[in-house]
Amino acid sequence: VLQNLSQTPVLRELLKEAKMTGTTVKIDSPDLCMLCCFSFKQEPQLIKLDQPGPLTLAMQQFVTEMQETKKGVVTPKELFAQVCKKAIRFKGYQQQDSHELLRYLLDGMRAEE
């Protein structure tokens, strides 16, 4: 899940900009094709970013490490600690479903907006 998120271009760009409070980010939507005949382009979305919370900062740090590291291994200790604060079910290193981690991670970052 974390490897996939770290390769999501829009998320990477938003997290890169999240360091700066009050930044407005423009997100261009790709062309969409409806019924293979009608294509339309949605207007770009403008998103004003607030001060990032601890989970968002930990995710930003993790994604940066994944993109820039020359080491073979990246350990998401801080990100995991922040997820555990939002969802205590992950404490104790019990086996969890990856979709649950994804849900708690994205919901937690959205709640920090």
Side-chain angles (χ1 to χ4, degrees):
V1 167
L2 294 177
Q3 287 174 334
N4 287 328
L5 288 175
S6 73
Q7 297 301 314
T8 306
V10 173
L11 180 61
R12 280 197 325 252
E13 289 303 313
L14 283 172
L15 290 171
K16 206 181 291 183
E17 299 293 329
K19 292 185 213 176
M20 298 172 264
T21 303
T23 301
T24 300
V25 179
K26 181 173 107 175
I27 299 176
D28 292 314
S29 299
D31 289 335
L32 301 175
C33 179
M34 300 289 288
L35 302 174
C36 299
C37 300
F38 308 104
S39 68
F40 62 94
K41 183 162 176 87
Q42 293 181 337
E43 292 297 316
Q45 293 182 335
L46 295 175
I47 299 172
K48 185 173 179 176
L49 301 175
D50 292 328
Q51 177 69 34
L55 180 59
T56 303
L57 289 172
M59 183 65 181
Q60 189 274 332
Q61 177 185 359
F62 172 76
V63 168
T64 300
E65 285 181 32
M66 286 287 289
Q67 295 297 309
E68 297 176 356
T69 189
K70 301 295 183 217
K71 303 183 280 183
V73 178
V74 174
T75 305
K77 286 182 182 179
E78 179 59 27
L79 180 57
F80 183 68
Q82 292 301 324
V83 169
C84 288
K85 287 180 183 178
K86 302 277 183 192
I88 45 180
R89 72 183 317 153
F90 290 102
K91 286 186 179 178
Y93 300 98
Q94 300 290 330
Q95 184 172 346
Q96 302 288 337
D97 291 333
S98 59
H99 72 276
E100 290 179 10
L101 172 69
L102 178 62
R103 189 180 104 217
Y104 281 105
L105 178 61
L106 294 178
D107 283 349
M109 288 191 318
R110 186 182 59 192
E112 290 181 344
E113 291 178 349

